[in-house]
Amino acid sequence: MAVRSFQRGLKLNTRKHVTEGKPIETAIVSQVVIPINQHFGAPNKAVVNAGDKVIRGQVIADAITPGPMTSPVHASISGIVKKIEPRTQSNNMDGLCIIIEAEKAEEKEADSGAVPAGEQISEMFMPPLDPFTCTKEAAIGRIRDAGIIGMGGAGFPAHVKFNPPPGKTIDLIIANGAECEPYLTTDEAVIAEKPQLLIAGLTMVMKITGVKKAIIGMEDNKAALVSLLEQEIRLNIQAHSESLDIDIGLCKTRYPQGGEKMLIKALTGREVPSGGLPMDVHCIVSNVGTLIAVAEAFIHGKPLIDRDLTISGSACKKPKNMRLPIGTLITQLPAETMAIDNDYLRKIIFGGPMMGNAVATAAIPVQKNTSGIVLMKGEETQTDPESACIRCGRCIRNCPCHLSPVIMNISLESSDMDEAARAGLVDCIECGSCSYVCPARIKLVQRFRVGKQRLRAMKAMSQLQAQAEKKQEKGAVPAETVTGSANPGRK
């Protein structure tokens, strides 16, 4: 089997050995803190109140207003809603969360009539649904009702991705199992544990989208899984009369091979255009965990209420792959399950060390898109101060998107947002390759994230100004109300 790759990027120390090949352990928790917004799109509102009794799988938050870019949130344990209040989340911002505490045995006995005819109910799942016989609308609705989002990190609603707009022809589904971030071994673990569900979910998505061709993309450090997947592919295709073509594509273990654009380039040679999406080159890319969640939603009626993730790092005394209810705080896991070396803990990252977010405390809830939690000692962290850019060009030579990070950074320093955009700011995937190789230790990714926020603010201000000027032309508002700069970055 040929091993493919993309140009540039980094060869990193993967640091996966401590959890590689380990099974996924489950944990029972007594409390969860569930953010009501865990997806990219329109905001949710709580549909339960403090004091309500809820069942695992029950919808507890849904869209404020109906629309495609919405995704409901479900209770991940059965219990009592204790509070609904803002809590700090993995993006380091406060967001409204629903705190649920599991009932104690004696509380259930004392209040056996609180849930009419349902005291024995432990889960509130949907009835099974056959995606091969139901309508496309019903299948898309099931994925939406299950609250499934992209589990690779972006959090894009899966029902939107699997229902591309008219005019966007899709001829290939790519199952993303590359998992290029150091430390993380979650995708490898779920593929090894649930290959039948992965292939079933992939086949279901192929049916829903009408696509006949799919590739499972993995880095070659997971080559041992190929025979397992090939066996499941044969069994699954035999079960369906339709002719489906599912291949396995091995890629070099190179960062950021798991990025959508990099994986598409490596497996197909197609190049996503500037400002474009995978559908612009006729592809849909979906994380393997997302596809497994799709299979569970149809076969078992299970919404997305559990998250498989890797907990690792030198400050983690018991690195492992775990399956946790959404909303779990790892600080509340029992000592026999999770032990943190607090004496030497210096950094906590939600996600991988290259693209994840550093947080101030471990008491942050696990979300649908939490792929890992990395607990680092001082020797694993980089604290060198920034120095002046020496124009060495290493950031350009290693950028997997073929951008000019040095030009982007200079433009942002001078508040020239237009030049930063021309140099590729919008196309930056924030992989951190440029920061990793920078000898001046310039925090390029952080600057680009802020730069994107400034660029979005500039565009929003321009739109408001244009609207105000249009109203002024119609005599709707006096001229003095048209204020504000079209480029807030300039002075």
Side-chain angles (χ1 to χ4, degrees), residues 208-400:
I208 293 168
T209 58
V211 175
K212 301 296 184 182
K213 172 73 176 177
I215 302 176
I216 303 172
M218 302 186 298
E219 290 190 312
D220 56 4
N221 57 7
K222 304 175 187 63
L225 298 173
V226 171
S227 59
L228 180 66
L229 287 172
E230 287 177 339
Q231 178 182 357
E232 289 299 332
I233 290 170
R234 288 192 297 269
L235 292 173
N236 193 278
I237 291 179
Q238 289 172 5
H240 300 284
S241 59
E242 296 182 80
S243 176
L244 301 178
D245 183 3
I246 302 176
D247 288 335
I248 300 172
L250 285 185
C251 303
K252 289 183 180 179
T253 300
R254 190 168 186 83
Y255 181 82
Q257 186 66 78
E260 287 186 335
K261 295 181 180 180
M262 279 73 255
L263 197 57
I264 291 171
K265 181 69 174 178
L267 295 175
T268 71
R270 304 176 192 179
E271 189 166 338
V272 178
S274 175
L277 297 169
M279 67 176 64
D280 294 320
V281 291
H282 315 296
C283 296
I284 291 176
V285 182
S286 183
N287 179 264
V288 293
T290 305
L291 295 170
I292 289 172
V294 168
E296 291 179 330
F298 283 103
I299 297 172
H300 306 301
K302 180 185 176 183
L304 182 48
I305 51 179
D306 297 315
R307 174 70 220 203
D308 297 323
L309 73 162
T310 302
I311 305 177
S312 189
S314 60
C316 178
K317 294 181 178 180
K318 297 179 180 179
K320 57 184 65 180
N321 299 308
M322 296 203 70
R323 179 168 299 124
L324 299 174
I326 300 296
T328 297
L329 309 180
I330 65 168
T331 52
Q332 293 189 340
L333 293 175
E336 61 269 20
T337 300
M338 176 54 52
I340 301 173
D341 193 343
N342 290 298
D343 292 336
Y344 295 96
L345 179 63
R346 293 295 178 269
K347 195 174 213 178
I348 305 167
I349 298 177
F350 267 61
M354 296 297 289
M355 296 186 71
N357 290 328
V359 297
T361 172
I364 300 288
V366 169
Q367 297 188 187
K368 296 178 183 180
N369 61 350
T370 303
S371 56
I373 301 174
V374 182
L375 308 165
M376 294 181 168
K377 291 182 179 180
E379 57 265 28
E380 287 184 296
T381 63
Q382 180 57 261
T383 57
D384 292 346
E386 288 186 349
S387 58
C389 174
I390 61 174
R391 310 295 195 270
C392 65
R394 292 184 187 177
C395 57
I396 297 175
R397 291 195 298 271
N398 287 278
C399 176

Side-chain angles (χ1 to χ4, degrees), residues 78-91:
S78 298
I80 304 296
V81 176
K82 291 296 183 180
K83 297 179 181 178
I84 302 177
E85 64 183 17
R87 293 286 186 92
T88 303
Q89 300 171 22
S90 59
N91 60 1

